[in-house]
Amino acid sequence: MFRLNENYLKLPGSYLFSTIGKKVGAYSAAHPDKKIIRLGIGDVTQPLAPAIISALHKAVEEMGHGETFRGYAPDQGYDFLRNAIADNDYKARGCDISADEIFVSDGAKCDSGNIQEIFSVDNRIAVCDPVYPVYVDSNVMAGRTGSYDRARETWSNVIYMPCVAGNGFVPELPKETPDIIYLCFPNNPTGAAATREQLQEWVDYACKVGAVIIYDAAYEAYISDENVPHSIYECEGARTCAIELRSFSKNAGFTGVRLGFTVVPEELKCGDVQLHSLWARRHGTKYNGAPYIVQRAGEAVYSPEGKEQLKAQVAYYMKNAHYIYNGLKAAGFTVSGGVNAPYIWLKTPGNMTSWEFFDYLLEKVNVVGTPGSGFGPSGEGYFRLTAFGSYENTVEAVDRIRTLL
């Protein structure tokens, strides 16, 4: 008889955002007259930029003619997109990354979950706490995290690096030595950003202890401070210790289109084995490539028109972020984030737990956010709001929340 991967049975409850969806769905069904404003899931709301739409239309037209039809994409992605990425995201910032080191995919979420497959199951991971749930959950599925302590909401074989107010929500180097370090800056969920000096310290540490950093840079387009790096490869030595994940979802609105990429430098090795070759093997075996029309849309992100249009779109979301931050701070909430990231991290009022505040907001003012405890034990007592709604809904949501204090 067949057997299950019992690691899946270790996962507590359902995926965080599935739980939120069920709660909101139940409330909406019971109160169909209520206007619910959703500032929970980090999904964009602005339409695709004109330059991207134009590229999609042109690519679709090409697919209708034999001489320009495209079938399977190259394993790592089309050269036109990988060259655009290398030139604009890396070489323009002084990073020595070539097109051959870029692997195009259908999004950073998939890559952040799949990248752990090329590592031994007995590697020990270190994660920021709070953290994007996929990093931990995908390692649970692989059998790398040990046993779950329900009381503490922690895994026995995971090194948790607290991101709290005392350290500016940027983790300190761990006392225990990890093999794999997950970092996300600008951070989801706290909205914190690591300075160049802070990130260089992590690179130096990883090189010293022989660890690999999996660096999620999905929100780099929102960085405004000059001393905050857009890529880990702006740090000396990162080519020998870091893998970088990128997404087109938040910088270009591709949450429903799906496109991302992972950078694995050829200098990153375990002994004599290149991680680049392992990821290439995994990629080629299990993935048939992002659609041609989507990769053409990705190329348009780097066109002069695309850059200007997306710069305006990012500014739109950051205008929302500033309104949330300033409005809640003026109302008496303790808030952070919202400067280099489209997330605002706020302390729950009184002695409310994260889920109590979630229910309170939903029932009292019909606003949805994300409980901080869903991102890890250090997230308890905090709450995340996103800036990806419309400006009108954002203003209304903040004004509703301000009536609570």
Side-chain angles (χ1 to χ4, degrees):
M1 181 178 178
F2 68 87
R3 293 190 294 177
L4 300 174
N5 177 353
E6 294 189 0
N7 292 310
Y8 277 73
L9 305 181
K10 298 177 182 178
L11 290 164
S14 61
Y15 184 58
L16 171 62
F17 298 107
S18 298
T19 301
I20 291 173
K22 291 176 182 177
K23 277 180 166 282
V24 175
Y27 182 86
S28 182
H31 304 85
D33 58 319
K34 300 294 186 180
K35 177 188 175 182
I36 298 173
I37 300 178
R38 292 169 170 83
L39 299 181
I41 296 176
D43 194 3
V44 296
T45 55
Q46 294 300 295
L48 294 174
I52 293 168
I53 292 295
S54 178
L56 283 167
H57 281 306
K58 181 178 179 181
V60 169
E61 183 64 27
E62 289 179 23
M63 296 296 279
H65 303 278
E67 62 273 18
T68 52
F69 173 80
R70 305 290 185 108
Y72 291 124
D75 283 354
Q76 287 186 230
Y78 286 101
D79 286 344
F80 62 76
L81 177 56
R82 291 191 297 139
N83 284 327
I85 292 169
D87 290 343
N88 290 276
D89 285 333
Y90 295 102
K91 293 178 183 176
R93 296 192 179 280
C95 303
D96 181 21
I97 296 296
S98 69
D100 288 341
E101 296 172 316
I102 296 167
F103 297 79
V104 176
S105 70
D106 58 358
K109 180 177 182 179
C110 291
D111 285 351
S112 65
N114 293 332
I115 195 69
Q116 53 82 22
E117 289 187 24
I118 67 174
F119 298 100
S120 170
V121 73
D122 60 1
N123 279 300
R124 195 166 186 201
I125 70 168
V127 297
C128 295
D129 173 31
V131 71
Y132 182 47
V134 173
Y135 309 151
V136 175
D137 287 0
S138 58
N139 278 281
V140 174
M141 294 170 181
R144 192 175 285 114
T145 56
S147 58
Y148 185 65
D149 185 330
R150 290 189 177 277
R152 300 177 61 189
E153 298 184 325
T154 58
W155 295 90
S156 62
N157 203 40
V158 173
I159 298 171
Y160 291 88
M161 304 182 295
C163 299
V164 295
N167 57 22
F169 301 103
V170 176
E172 299 166 5
L173 299 178
K175 294 181 174 61
E176 301 175 86
T177 304
D179 301 298
I180 302 170
I181 303 166
Y182 286 83
L183 296 177
C184 173
F185 292 111
N187 185 261
N188 175 17
T190 67
T195 65
R196 196 175 310 278
E197 292 76 16
Q198 288 172 322
L199 192 56
Q200 183 66 59
E201 185 179 13
W202 277 101
V203 170
D204 293 343
Y205 172 78
C207 290
K208 178 181 177 182
V209 301
V212 61
I213 296 173
I214 298 176
Y215 190 74
D216 188 344
Y219 300 94
E220 62 81 27
Y222 294 85
I223 293 172
S224 57
D225 289 348
E226 291 185 3
N227 195 35
V228 174
H230 289 252
S231 167
I232 196 168
Y233 301 116
E234 294 179 43
C235 296
E236 184 178 352
R239 283 184 55 85
T240 65
C241 72
I243 293 171
E244 184 163 285
L245 312 175
R246 289 282 191 103
S247 169
F248 286 80
S249 289
K250 308 303 166 65
N251 68 326
F254 278 35
T255 53
V257 177
R258 306 309 305 151
L259 190 66
F261 62 90
T262 291
V263 179
V264 186
E266 294 184 352
E267 292 173 26
L268 179 53
K269 298 180 180 180
C270 180
D272 295 328
V273 179
Q274 287 183 325
L275 271 63
H276 180 279
S277 64
L278 297 185
W279 185 239
R281 186 69 169 89
R282 193 266 173 207
H283 210 64
T285 300
K286 294 190 175 185
Y287 186 62
N288 267 336
Y292 170 72
I293 60 174
V294 174
Q295 294 198 46
R296 280 297 187 191
E299 180 188 31
V301 168
Y302 300 103
S303 68
E305 300 82 7
K307 288 179 180 179
E308 285 301 310
Q309 291 162 10
L310 294 179
K311 183 178 179 181
Q313 201 165 90
V314 167
Y316 178 94
Y317 291 130
M318 290 310 295
K319 180 181 179 182
N320 290 349
H322 296 154
Y323 190 90
I324 298 171
Y325 180 95
N326 292 328
L328 295 186
K329 185 176 181 180
F333 284 91
T334 300
V335 292
S336 59
V339 177
N340 295 294
Y343 293 122
I344 287 78
W345 190 241
L346 63 114
K347 191 166 180 56
T348 57
N351 295 316
M352 283 190 186
T353 68
S354 298
W355 279 106
E356 286 173 346
F357 189 61
F358 174 90
D359 292 335
Y360 185 69
L361 275 188
L362 180 59
E363 293 169 6
K364 296 296 184 181
V365 294
N366 309 138
V367 173
V368 178
T370 308
S373 61
F375 297 101
S378 291
E380 182 54 271
Y382 285 89
F383 204 74
R384 190 193 75 173
L385 294 174
T386 84
F388 288 122
S390 69
Y391 181 71
E392 294 74 20
N393 278 347
T394 299
V395 170
E396 183 176 350
V398 171
D399 290 348
R400 290 184 190 180
I401 296 171
R402 292 177 66 173
T403 66
L404 297 174
L405 292 183

Short mmCIF file of all heavy atoms in Angstrom, two decimals, residues 13-73:
data_model
loop_
_atom_site.label_atom_id
_atom_site.label_comp_id
_atom_site.label_asym_id
_atom_site.label_seq_id
_atom_site.Cartn_x
_atom_site.Cartn_y
_atom_site.Cartn_z
N GLY A 13 -2.39 23.43 11.41
CA GLY A 13 -3.46 24.20 10.79
C GLY A 13 -3.30 24.33 9.29
O GLY A 13 -2.60 23.56 8.64
N SER A 14 -3.94 25.35 8.72
CA SER A 14 -3.84 25.62 7.29
C SER A 14 -2.89 26.78 7.05
O SER A 14 -2.43 27.44 7.98
CB SER A 14 -5.23 25.95 6.71
OG SER A 14 -5.77 27.10 7.33
N TYR A 15 -2.60 27.04 5.79
CA TYR A 15 -1.74 28.15 5.43
C TYR A 15 -2.35 29.46 5.93
O TYR A 15 -3.57 29.66 5.86
CB TYR A 15 -1.55 28.17 3.91
CG TYR A 15 -0.59 29.22 3.40
CD1 TYR A 15 0.72 29.26 3.84
CD2 TYR A 15 -1.00 30.17 2.47
CE1 TYR A 15 1.61 30.21 3.39
CE2 TYR A 15 -0.12 31.13 2.00
CZ TYR A 15 1.19 31.15 2.46
OH TYR A 15 2.06 32.10 1.99
N LEU A 16 -1.54 30.34 6.44
CA LEU A 16 -1.99 31.57 7.09
C LEU A 16 -3.06 32.30 6.29
O LEU A 16 -4.13 32.64 6.82
CB LEU A 16 -0.79 32.50 7.32
CG LEU A 16 -1.10 33.93 7.79
CD1 LEU A 16 -1.80 33.90 9.14
CD2 LEU A 16 0.17 34.76 7.84
N PHE A 17 -2.80 32.55 5.01
CA PHE A 17 -3.72 33.36 4.23
C PHE A 17 -4.99 32.60 3.83
O PHE A 17 -6.01 33.21 3.54
CB PHE A 17 -3.00 33.95 3.02
CG PHE A 17 -1.87 34.87 3.43
CD1 PHE A 17 -0.55 34.49 3.30
CD2 PHE A 17 -2.14 36.10 4.00
CE1 PHE A 17 0.48 35.32 3.72
CE2 PHE A 17 -1.12 36.95 4.41
CZ PHE A 17 0.19 36.56 4.27
N SER A 18 -4.92 31.27 3.86
CA SER A 18 -6.13 30.47 3.67
C SER A 18 -7.05 30.63 4.87
O SER A 18 -8.27 30.75 4.73
CB SER A 18 -5.77 29.00 3.47
OG SER A 18 -4.98 28.81 2.33
N THR A 19 -6.46 30.64 6.06
CA THR A 19 -7.24 30.84 7.29
C THR A 19 -7.92 32.20 7.28
O THR A 19 -9.10 32.33 7.63
CB THR A 19 -6.33 30.72 8.52
OG1 THR A 19 -5.71 29.43 8.53
CG2 THR A 19 -7.12 30.90 9.80
N ILE A 20 -7.18 33.23 6.88
CA ILE A 20 -7.75 34.58 6.81
C ILE A 20 -8.90 34.60 5.82
O ILE A 20 -9.98 35.16 6.08
CB ILE A 20 -6.67 35.59 6.42
CG1 ILE A 20 -5.66 35.76 7.56
CG2 ILE A 20 -7.30 36.95 6.06
CD1 ILE A 20 -4.47 36.61 7.21
N GLY A 21 -8.71 33.97 4.66
CA GLY A 21 -9.74 33.94 3.64
C GLY A 21 -11.02 33.29 4.13
O GLY A 21 -12.13 33.77 3.85
N LYS A 22 -10.89 32.22 4.88
CA LYS A 22 -12.06 31.53 5.41
C LYS A 22 -12.79 32.39 6.44
O LYS A 22 -14.03 32.46 6.46
CB LYS A 22 -11.64 30.20 6.04
CG LYS A 22 -11.17 29.17 5.02
CD LYS A 22 -10.67 27.90 5.70
CE LYS A 22 -10.15 26.90 4.68
NZ LYS A 22 -9.60 25.68 5.32
N LYS A 23 -12.03 33.05 7.32
CA LYS A 23 -12.65 33.91 8.32
C LYS A 23 -13.41 35.08 7.68
O LYS A 23 -14.55 35.40 8.06
CB LYS A 23 -11.57 34.46 9.27
CG LYS A 23 -11.17 33.54 10.41
CD LYS A 23 -10.09 34.19 11.27
CE LYS A 23 -9.91 33.46 12.59
NZ LYS A 23 -10.97 33.79 13.57
N VAL A 24 -12.77 35.70 6.69
CA VAL A 24 -13.40 36.84 6.02
C VAL A 24 -14.61 36.37 5.22
O VAL A 24 -15.66 37.04 5.20
CB VAL A 24 -12.39 37.56 5.11
CG1 VAL A 24 -13.08 38.67 4.31
CG2 VAL A 24 -11.25 38.14 5.93
N GLY A 25 -14.50 35.20 4.58
CA GLY A 25 -15.61 34.67 3.81
C GLY A 25 -16.82 34.39 4.69
O GLY A 25 -17.96 34.70 4.32
N ALA A 26 -16.59 33.82 5.87
CA ALA A 26 -17.68 33.52 6.79
C ALA A 26 -18.34 34.80 7.28
O ALA A 26 -19.58 34.89 7.36
CB ALA A 26 -17.15 32.70 7.97
N TYR A 27 -17.53 35.81 7.61
CA TYR A 27 -18.09 37.09 8.09
C TYR A 27 -18.90 37.77 6.99
O TYR A 27 -19.99 38.29 7.22
CB TYR A 27 -16.98 38.01 8.57
CG TYR A 27 -17.50 39.31 9.13
CD1 TYR A 27 -17.89 39.41 10.46
CD2 TYR A 27 -17.63 40.44 8.31
CE1 TYR A 27 -18.41 40.61 10.97
CE2 TYR A 27 -18.14 41.63 8.81
CZ TYR A 27 -18.52 41.71 10.14
OH TYR A 27 -19.03 42.88 10.63
N SER A 28 -18.35 37.74 5.77
CA SER A 28 -19.03 38.38 4.65
C SER A 28 -20.37 37.71 4.35
O SER A 28 -21.37 38.39 4.05
CB SER A 28 -18.13 38.33 3.41
OG SER A 28 -18.74 38.97 2.32
N ALA A 29 -20.40 36.38 4.44
CA ALA A 29 -21.65 35.66 4.20
C ALA A 29 -22.70 35.99 5.25
O ALA A 29 -23.90 36.08 4.95
CB ALA A 29 -21.38 34.16 4.18
N ALA A 30 -22.25 36.20 6.48
CA ALA A 30 -23.18 36.51 7.57
C ALA A 30 -23.59 37.98 7.58
O ALA A 30 -24.62 38.34 8.15
CB ALA A 30 -22.54 36.15 8.92
N HIS A 31 -22.78 38.84 6.93
CA HIS A 31 -23.07 40.28 6.91
C HIS A 31 -22.90 40.81 5.48
O HIS A 31 -21.98 41.59 5.18
CB HIS A 31 -22.12 41.04 7.85
CG HIS A 31 -22.14 40.55 9.26
ND1 HIS A 31 -21.37 39.48 9.69
CD2 HIS A 31 -22.85 40.96 10.35
CE1 HIS A 31 -21.60 39.28 10.99
NE2 HIS A 31 -22.49 40.15 11.40
N PRO A 32 -23.77 40.40 4.57
CA PRO A 32 -23.63 40.78 3.15
C PRO A 32 -23.75 42.28 2.89
O PRO A 32 -23.34 42.77 1.83
CB PRO A 32 -24.77 40.02 2.47
CG PRO A 32 -25.77 39.76 3.56
CD PRO A 32 -24.96 39.58 4.80
N ASP A 33 -24.28 43.02 3.85
CA ASP A 33 -24.46 44.46 3.68
C ASP A 33 -23.22 45.26 4.04
O ASP A 33 -23.15 46.47 3.79
CB ASP A 33 -25.62 44.95 4.55
CG ASP A 33 -25.41 44.63 6.03
OD1 ASP A 33 -24.93 43.51 6.32
OD2 ASP A 33 -25.71 45.48 6.88
N LYS A 34 -22.22 44.61 4.63
CA LYS A 34 -21.02 45.31 5.09
C LYS A 34 -19.98 45.45 3.98
O LYS A 34 -19.72 44.50 3.23
CB LYS A 34 -20.38 44.57 6.27
CG LYS A 34 -21.29 44.41 7.49
CD LYS A 34 -21.60 45.76 8.15
CE LYS A 34 -22.38 45.56 9.44
NZ LYS A 34 -22.69 46.85 10.10
N LYS A 35 -19.38 46.64 3.88
CA LYS A 35 -18.27 46.85 2.94
C LYS A 35 -16.97 46.51 3.66
O LYS A 35 -16.55 47.23 4.56
CB LYS A 35 -18.23 48.30 2.45
CG LYS A 35 -17.05 48.58 1.54
CD LYS A 35 -16.93 50.07 1.22
CE LYS A 35 -15.67 50.36 0.39
NZ LYS A 35 -15.51 51.81 0.10
N ILE A 36 -16.36 45.42 3.25
CA ILE A 36 -15.11 44.98 3.88
C ILE A 36 -13.93 45.52 3.07
O ILE A 36 -13.88 45.36 1.84
CB ILE A 36 -15.05 43.45 3.96
CG1 ILE A 36 -16.19 42.92 4.83
CG2 ILE A 36 -13.70 42.99 4.51
CD1 ILE A 36 -16.31 41.42 4.85
N ILE A 37 -13.00 46.16 3.75
CA ILE A 37 -11.80 46.67 3.09
C ILE A 37 -10.65 45.74 3.45
O ILE A 37 -10.33 45.56 4.62
CB ILE A 37 -11.48 48.12 3.52
CG1 ILE A 37 -12.65 49.03 3.15
CG2 ILE A 37 -10.19 48.60 2.85
CD1 ILE A 37 -12.47 50.48 3.57
N ARG A 38 -10.02 45.19 2.42
CA ARG A 38 -8.97 44.18 2.63
C ARG A 38 -7.58 44.79 2.49
O ARG A 38 -7.17 45.19 1.41
CB ARG A 38 -9.14 43.04 1.63
CG ARG A 38 -10.40 42.21 1.87
CD ARG A 38 -10.68 41.26 0.71
NE ARG A 38 -11.73 40.30 1.03
CZ ARG A 38 -13.02 40.54 0.92
NH1 ARG A 38 -13.43 41.74 0.51
NH2 ARG A 38 -13.92 39.61 1.23
N LEU A 39 -6.89 44.87 3.61
CA LEU A 39 -5.49 45.32 3.63
C LEU A 39 -4.63 44.22 4.25
O LEU A 39 -3.66 44.48 4.94
CB LEU A 39 -5.35 46.61 4.44
CG LEU A 39 -6.14 47.83 3.94
CD1 LEU A 39 -5.86 49.03 4.83
CD2 LEU A 39 -5.81 48.15 2.49
N GLY A 40 -5.02 42.98 3.99
CA GLY A 40 -4.34 41.83 4.58
C GLY A 40 -3.33 41.20 3.63
O GLY A 40 -2.13 41.30 3.81
N ILE A 41 -3.82 40.53 2.60
CA ILE A 41 -2.93 39.86 1.65
C ILE A 41 -2.24 40.89 0.77
O ILE A 41 -2.86 41.86 0.32
CB ILE A 41 -3.72 38.85 0.79
CG1 ILE A 41 -4.28 37.74 1.69
CG2 ILE A 41 -2.85 38.24 -0.29
CD1 ILE A 41 -5.16 36.75 0.97
N GLY A 42 -0.96 40.67 0.50
CA GLY A 42 -0.18 41.64 -0.27
C GLY A 42 -0.41 41.53 -1.77
O GLY A 42 0.54 41.35 -2.54
N ASP A 43 -1.67 41.62 -2.18
CA ASP A 43 -1.99 41.54 -3.61
C ASP A 43 -2.20 42.96 -4.14
O ASP A 43 -2.87 43.78 -3.52
CB ASP A 43 -3.26 40.71 -3.81
CG ASP A 43 -3.46 40.31 -5.27
OD1 ASP A 43 -2.58 40.64 -6.10
OD2 ASP A 43 -4.49 39.68 -5.57
N VAL A 44 -1.64 43.22 -5.32
CA VAL A 44 -1.73 44.55 -5.92
C VAL A 44 -3.13 44.79 -6.47
O VAL A 44 -3.89 43.85 -6.70
CB VAL A 44 -0.69 44.72 -7.05
CG1 VAL A 44 0.71 44.64 -6.49
CG2 VAL A 44 -0.89 43.67 -8.14
N THR A 45 -3.48 46.04 -6.68
CA THR A 45 -4.81 46.40 -7.17
C THR A 45 -4.78 47.27 -8.42
O THR A 45 -5.79 47.38 -9.12
CB THR A 45 -5.61 47.14 -6.08
OG1 THR A 45 -4.85 48.28 -5.62
CG2 THR A 45 -5.89 46.22 -4.90
N GLN A 46 -3.65 47.92 -8.70
CA GLN A 46 -3.56 48.77 -9.88
C GLN A 46 -3.39 47.93 -11.15
O GLN A 46 -2.72 46.89 -11.13
CB GLN A 46 -2.39 49.74 -9.75
CG GLN A 46 -2.56 50.75 -8.62
CD GLN A 46 -3.79 51.62 -8.83
OE1 GLN A 46 -3.86 52.40 -9.78
NE2 GLN A 46 -4.77 51.48 -7.94
N PRO A 47 -4.00 48.33 -12.27
CA PRO A 47 -3.90 47.55 -13.50
C PRO A 47 -2.48 47.54 -14.06
O PRO A 47 -1.65 48.39 -13.71
CB PRO A 47 -4.86 48.26 -14.45
CG PRO A 47 -4.93 49.67 -13.93
CD PRO A 47 -4.82 49.54 -12.43
N LEU A 48 -2.22 46.58 -14.91
CA LEU A 48 -0.91 46.49 -15.55
C LEU A 48 -0.61 47.77 -16.33
O LEU A 48 -1.51 48.36 -16.94
CB LEU A 48 -0.85 45.29 -16.50
CG LEU A 48 -0.94 43.91 -15.85
CD1 LEU A 48 -1.02 42.82 -16.92
CD2 LEU A 48 0.25 43.66 -14.94
N ALA A 49 0.65 48.17 -16.32
CA ALA A 49 1.06 49.40 -17.00
C ALA A 49 0.87 49.28 -18.51
O ALA A 49 0.96 48.19 -19.08
CB ALA A 49 2.53 49.69 -16.67
N PRO A 50 0.61 50.39 -19.20
CA PRO A 50 0.39 50.36 -20.65
C PRO A 50 1.52 49.70 -21.44
O PRO A 50 1.26 48.97 -22.41
CB PRO A 50 0.26 51.85 -21.01
CG PRO A 50 -0.28 52.48 -19.78
CD PRO A 50 0.37 51.75 -18.64
N ALA A 51 2.76 49.93 -21.05
CA ALA A 51 3.88 49.32 -21.77
C ALA A 51 3.83 47.81 -21.68
O ALA A 51 4.18 47.09 -22.64
CB ALA A 51 5.21 49.84 -21.20
N ILE A 52 3.39 47.29 -20.54
CA ILE A 52 3.29 45.84 -20.35
C ILE A 52 2.13 45.28 -21.15
O ILE A 52 2.25 44.23 -21.81
CB ILE A 52 3.14 45.52 -18.85
CG1 ILE A 52 4.43 45.90 -18.12
CG2 ILE A 52 2.81 44.05 -18.64
CD1 ILE A 52 4.31 45.89 -16.61
N ILE A 53 0.98 45.96 -21.14
CA ILE A 53 -0.17 45.53 -21.92
C ILE A 53 0.18 45.48 -23.40
O ILE A 53 -0.18 44.54 -24.12
CB ILE A 53 -1.37 46.47 -21.67
CG1 ILE A 53 -1.88 46.30 -20.24
CG2 ILE A 53 -2.49 46.20 -22.68
CD1 ILE A 53 -2.46 44.94 -19.94
N SER A 54 0.88 46.51 -23.86
CA SER A 54 1.29 46.57 -25.27
C SER A 54 2.19 45.38 -25.63
O SER A 54 2.02 44.76 -26.68
CB SER A 54 2.02 47.88 -25.55
OG SER A 54 2.47 47.94 -26.88
N ALA A 55 3.12 45.05 -24.75
CA ALA A 55 4.02 43.92 -25.00
C ALA A 55 3.25 42.60 -25.02
O ALA A 55 3.54 41.71 -25.83
CB ALA A 55 5.11 43.88 -23.93
N LEU A 56 2.28 42.47 -24.12
CA LEU A 56 1.46 41.26 -24.10
C LEU A 56 0.67 41.11 -25.40
O LEU A 56 0.63 40.02 -26.00
CB LEU A 56 0.49 41.30 -22.91
CG LEU A 56 1.06 40.99 -21.53
CD1 LEU A 56 0.07 41.37 -20.44
CD2 LEU A 56 1.42 39.52 -21.41
N HIS A 57 0.04 42.18 -25.85
CA HIS A 57 -0.73 42.13 -27.09
C HIS A 57 0.16 41.74 -28.28
O HIS A 57 -0.23 40.91 -29.12
CB HIS A 57 -1.39 43.48 -27.36
CG HIS A 57 -2.62 43.73 -26.56
ND1 HIS A 57 -3.69 42.88 -26.54
CD2 HIS A 57 -2.97 44.76 -25.74
CE1 HIS A 57 -4.64 43.35 -25.75
NE2 HIS A 57 -4.22 44.49 -25.24
N LYS A 58 1.32 42.35 -28.34
CA LYS A 58 2.23 42.06 -29.45
C LYS A 58 2.67 40.59 -29.41
O LYS A 58 2.72 39.92 -30.45
CB LYS A 58 3.46 42.96 -29.36
CG LYS A 58 4.46 42.75 -30.49
CD LYS A 58 5.64 43.70 -30.38
CE LYS A 58 6.64 43.45 -31.51
NZ LYS A 58 7.83 44.35 -31.39
N ALA A 59 2.97 40.08 -28.21
CA ALA A 59 3.41 38.69 -28.09
C ALA A 59 2.28 37.71 -28.42
O ALA A 59 2.51 36.67 -29.04
CB ALA A 59 3.94 38.44 -26.69
N VAL A 60 1.06 38.05 -28.01
CA VAL A 60 -0.09 37.20 -28.35
C VAL A 60 -0.27 37.14 -29.87
O VAL A 60 -0.53 36.07 -30.44
CB VAL A 60 -1.36 37.72 -27.67
CG1 VAL A 60 -2.60 37.03 -28.22
CG2 VAL A 60 -1.29 37.48 -26.16
N GLU A 61 -0.14 38.28 -30.52
CA GLU A 61 -0.24 38.31 -31.98
C GLU A 61 0.83 37.43 -32.63
O GLU A 61 0.55 36.71 -33.60
CB GLU A 61 -0.12 39.76 -32.48
CG GLU A 61 -0.27 39.93 -33.98
CD GLU A 61 -1.66 39.56 -34.49
OE1 GLU A 61 -2.63 39.65 -33.72
OE2 GLU A 61 -1.75 39.15 -35.67
N GLU A 62 2.04 37.47 -32.09
CA GLU A 62 3.12 36.62 -32.62
C GLU A 62 2.76 35.14 -32.51
O GLU A 62 3.12 34.35 -33.39
CB GLU A 62 4.41 36.89 -31.85
CG GLU A 62 5.05 38.24 -32.14
CD GLU A 62 6.31 38.44 -31.32
OE1 GLU A 62 6.92 37.44 -30.90
OE2 GLU A 62 6.68 39.60 -31.07
N MET A 63 2.07 34.77 -31.43
CA MET A 63 1.73 33.36 -31.23
C MET A 63 0.69 32.87 -32.24
O MET A 63 0.46 31.66 -32.37
CB MET A 63 1.20 33.15 -29.81
CG MET A 63 2.22 33.43 -28.72
SD MET A 63 3.62 32.30 -28.75
CE MET A 63 2.91 30.89 -27.89
N GLY A 64 0.06 33.79 -33.00
CA GLY A 64 -0.94 33.41 -33.99
C GLY A 64 -0.38 33.24 -35.39
O GLY A 64 -1.15 33.03 -36.34
N HIS A 65 0.94 33.31 -35.54
CA HIS A 65 1.57 33.17 -36.86
C HIS A 65 2.70 32.14 -36.79
O HIS A 65 3.50 32.16 -35.85
CB HIS A 65 2.12 34.52 -37.34
CG HIS A 65 1.08 35.60 -37.40
ND1 HIS A 65 0.20 35.75 -38.46
CD2 HIS A 65 0.75 36.56 -36.50
CE1 HIS A 65 -0.61 36.77 -38.22
NE2 HIS A 65 -0.30 37.28 -37.04
N GLY A 66 2.75 31.27 -37.76
CA GLY A 66 3.73 30.19 -37.75
C GLY A 66 5.16 30.65 -37.63
O GLY A 66 5.97 30.06 -36.93
N GLU A 67 5.49 31.75 -38.32
CA GLU A 67 6.88 32.20 -38.34
C GLU A 67 7.32 32.83 -37.02
O GLU A 67 8.52 32.95 -36.77
CB GLU A 67 7.11 33.19 -39.50
CG GLU A 67 6.30 34.48 -39.42
CD GLU A 67 4.92 34.37 -40.05
OE1 GLU A 67 4.45 33.23 -40.24
OE2 GLU A 67 4.33 35.43 -40.34
N THR A 68 6.39 33.24 -36.19
CA THR A 68 6.75 33.85 -34.90
C THR A 68 6.22 33.08 -33.69
O THR A 68 6.41 33.51 -32.56
CB THR A 68 6.23 35.30 -34.82
OG1 THR A 68 4.83 35.33 -35.13
CG2 THR A 68 6.99 36.20 -35.79
N PHE A 69 5.58 31.96 -33.94
CA PHE A 69 5.06 31.13 -32.84
C PHE A 69 6.21 30.60 -31.99
O PHE A 69 7.27 30.25 -32.50
CB PHE A 69 4.25 29.96 -33.41
CG PHE A 69 3.81 28.96 -32.38
CD1 PHE A 69 2.72 29.21 -31.57
CD2 PHE A 69 4.54 27.79 -32.19
CE1 PHE A 69 2.33 28.30 -30.60
CE2 PHE A 69 4.16 26.87 -31.21
CZ PHE A 69 3.04 27.13 -30.42
N ARG A 70 5.99 30.52 -30.68
CA ARG A 70 6.98 29.96 -29.75
C ARG A 70 6.35 28.82 -28.95
O ARG A 70 5.21 28.94 -28.50
CB ARG A 70 7.48 31.03 -28.77
CG ARG A 70 8.05 32.28 -29.42
CD ARG A 70 9.36 32.03 -30.12
NE ARG A 70 9.93 33.26 -30.63
CZ ARG A 70 11.00 33.87 -30.12
NH1 ARG A 70 11.61 33.35 -29.07
NH2 ARG A 70 11.47 34.99 -30.65
N GLY A 71 7.11 27.76 -28.76
CA GLY A 71 6.67 26.63 -27.94
C GLY A 71 7.33 26.67 -26.58
O GLY A 71 7.28 27.68 -25.89
N TYR A 72 7.96 25.57 -26.20
CA TYR A 72 8.64 25.54 -24.91
C TYR A 72 9.71 26.62 -24.84
O TYR A 72 10.47 26.83 -25.78
CB TYR A 72 9.31 24.18 -24.67
CG TYR A 72 8.37 23.03 -24.45
CD1 TYR A 72 8.43 21.89 -25.24
CD2 TYR A 72 7.43 23.07 -23.42
CE1 TYR A 72 7.57 20.82 -25.03
CE2 TYR A 72 6.57 22.00 -23.20
CZ TYR A 72 6.64 20.87 -24.01
OH TYR A 72 5.80 19.82 -23.79
N ALA A 73 9.79 27.27 -23.69
CA ALA A 73 10.83 28.27 -23.48
C ALA A 73 12.14 27.57 -23.12
O ALA A 73 12.13 26.44 -22.63
CB ALA A 73 10.43 29.23 -22.36
#
